[in-house]
Amino acid sequence: MAGLRTWLAERLPLDAVAAAIAHKTVPQHRHSFWYYLGGMTLFFFGVQVATGILLLLYYRPSAGEAYDSVQFIMTRVPFGWLIRSIHSWSANLMVGAAFIHLFSVLYLKAYRKPRELTWISGMLLLFITMAFGFTGYLLPWNELAYFATRVGTDIPGAIPLIGDPLVTFLRGGPQVTGATLTRFYGIHVAVLPAITTVLLGLHLVLVQYHGMSVPPSVDAEAARAGRPTPVMPFVPHFALRDLFGWTVALALLAGLSAYLPWELGTKADLFAAAPAGIQPEWYFLWTFQALKVVPGHVFGIEGELVAIGALSIGAIGIVLLPFLDPNTARARTVVNWLASVAVVFMVAMTLWALMGGVQ
Amino acid sequence: MASDKVGSPGLSEQPRNPGRRRAIDWLLGSWFVGVCGAVVYPVTRYLVPPEITEAPTLSVKAGTASTLAPNTARLVPFGQTPAIVVRLKTGELRAFSGTCTHLSCTVQFRPDLEHIWCACHNGHYDLTGRNIAGPPPRPLDAYEANVQDDEIVISRRT
């Protein structure tokens, strides 16, 4: 055993890695709870990879077979209902955890220098997560997914000049058909995982490299008290707490999947009317409600274009936040207010949509 | 490092012929750019789906006229897209494209409202296809609806 260790240590930087792990610490203060959210998102991602691979063994990506293959997984394959429900629930919890992670990082100002690239890679990962959700939603080829995809892929059509080619590219043709399903399948199981591997690797390396950010308020308190902020060794103390959180999340997933198994709905019919009460996944609801209440034309511009323009500006603004925030106490207050307005807007629009919106 | 190189003439960084090295670098660089282009171009073209040219649908049969009661409607395929044929209370038949002009959901007829409605984002159209409420920016395309031997035939307006 000692011989094997020596042999490996001569070929790999084992001692350096062991020393780094032993020295890794996590700051301990009243906001430390939020440090667990990134790890929680990562856990749900791991669940997605594992259950996704299992689903691949039976799923068939064609308009003729997709719905029936998912039905087969849920009714005939042993524990198929469990695997598929966990995949759907975990997807939703992953988006939820990622959003909480985003806003906690934002409020704690962890995006400040030198963590700009960590923030940008994290924002890109959030967009990728939403793309995973959007492409995965279509794969069972049911009625809700079909219309959600018709609407979702039609949205870029409002962009001047490149809109129409972009819609054709996304759909694999002018309409949402079996060609769209195969395309989304390829994006969902190959393209997005490849991009995620690179971005997630970068994000995690940067988190290790810079260590955990200490919020400015905690830093100021420590300076006033004249003593440093206490820390906790990552191994074993923080890691065990992380692990405990993950087992709770796993129990939650099992409970949700057992008691509220994910429904399959009815098979998509390309020539049926969109059913009343149709809605996208909850994390797209606020966008959906915004598109619903914006009138056909705003100051002579097509309403859809106005809504998409506003959302795009918001998205670019939040990605570039570390460069827009001059890192003064005043700017921090402004960022907190803007973030709170965004949260209230998103929650209010979501609730409005859930209550039926404008009918 | 420089002292290491003393006595190891095989590891000099200075090429014997700098001009030739530059020329070869330039050739290799161009070669690489060319190869990248030869990969990127077909892949980009591959990603854009080919246009499938179909004869444009000019008219379709939309079922029997006698089974379509007043104040109801029927959705039928019109080529690749849906069409909606409405029987008005007066008995008159009207046909429109079934694709909402907002975000291309499929519309339906609401007997309670006596007009056309899109469930996706609450768009309303009157019985001439005009957008009257909600987000749709344009009216629905109108088709001709005729009856031949109790068979509804809808056709594109020319």
Side-chain angles (χ1 to χ4, degrees), chain A residues 109-348:
Chain A
K109 306 291 170 295
Y111 54 79
R112 289 166 302 145
K113 186 186 171 188
R115 295 184 177 79
E116 298 95 330
L117 293 175
T118 322
W119 171 264
I120 292 174
S121 58
M123 281 307 305
L124 295 179
L125 281 168
L126 182 73
F127 295 148
I128 297 277
T129 305
M130 296 178 84
F132 263 120
F134 184 66
T135 50
Y137 196 52
L138 179 67
L139 300 187
W141 200 244
N142 58 28
E143 198 178 36
L144 278 179
Y146 173 71
F147 282 106
T149 307
R150 284 236 322 234
V151 171
T153 52
D154 204 65
I155 290 172
I159 305 169
L161 294 174
I162 58 160
D164 285 339
L166 198 58
V167 171
T168 308
F169 166 72
L170 285 171
R171 291 180 173 171
Q175 307 292 331
V176 175
T177 59
T180 320
L181 180 67
T182 6
R183 199 159 270 239
F184 273 33
Y185 171 75
I187 295 172
H188 189 80
V189 308
V191 178
L192 294 177
I195 302 173
T196 307
T197 306
V198 175
L199 281 176
L200 188 58
L202 175 69
H203 194 71
L204 294 177
V205 164
L206 286 170
V207 169
Q208 298 315 309
Y209 180 66
H210 292 299
M212 292 301 199
S213 156
V214 179
S217 59
V218 174
D219 259 345
E221 277 165 32
R224 270 200 302 276
R227 54 181 161 73
T229 308
V231 293
M232 177 193 273
F234 184 81
V235 176
H237 307 292
F238 192 85
L240 282 172
R241 283 158 177 77
D242 243 347
L243 207 58
F244 173 72
W246 294 3
T247 55
V248 171
L250 189 63
L252 180 68
L253 278 178
L256 285 169
S257 305
Y259 292 106
L260 298 166
W262 208 263
E263 284 182 19
L264 180 55
T266 50
K267 193 172 177 172
D269 175 354
L270 274 54
F271 293 102
I278 186 169
Q279 282 186 339
E281 293 266 65
W282 63 270
Y283 44 90
F284 289 121
L285 271 180
W286 64 277
T287 330
F288 162 84
Q289 188 63 21
L291 283 169
K292 205 164 167 174
V293 294
V294 169
H297 291 89
V298 181
F299 304 118
I301 308 168
E302 210 164 280
E304 201 186 323
L305 190 59
V306 173
I308 295 159
L311 288 173
S312 308
I313 291 168
I316 294 169
I318 195 162
V319 170
L320 298 179
L321 179 65
F323 306 104
L324 301 175
D325 176 3
N327 192 21
T328 58
R330 200 192 150 103
R332 284 201 282 275
T333 316
V334 173
V335 169
N336 282 349
W337 272 104
L338 284 176
S340 303
V341 168
V343 172
V344 169
F345 174 75
M346 286 161 81
V347 171

Side-chain angles (χ1 to χ4, degrees), chain A residues 84-127:
Chain A
R84 195 227 161 197
S85 279
I86 288 185
H87 195 72
S88 303
W89 274 115
S90 178
N92 282 275
L93 296 183
M94 181 182 161
V95 174
F99 266 105
I100 300 172
H101 180 46
L102 159 75
F103 280 104
S104 58
V105 166
L106 199 157
Y107 279 115
L108 297 178
K109 306 291 170 295
Y111 54 79
R112 289 166 302 145
K113 186 186 171 188
R115 295 184 177 79
E116 298 95 330
L117 293 175
T118 322
W119 171 264
I120 292 174
S121 58
M123 281 307 305
L124 295 179
L125 281 168
L126 182 73
F127 295 148

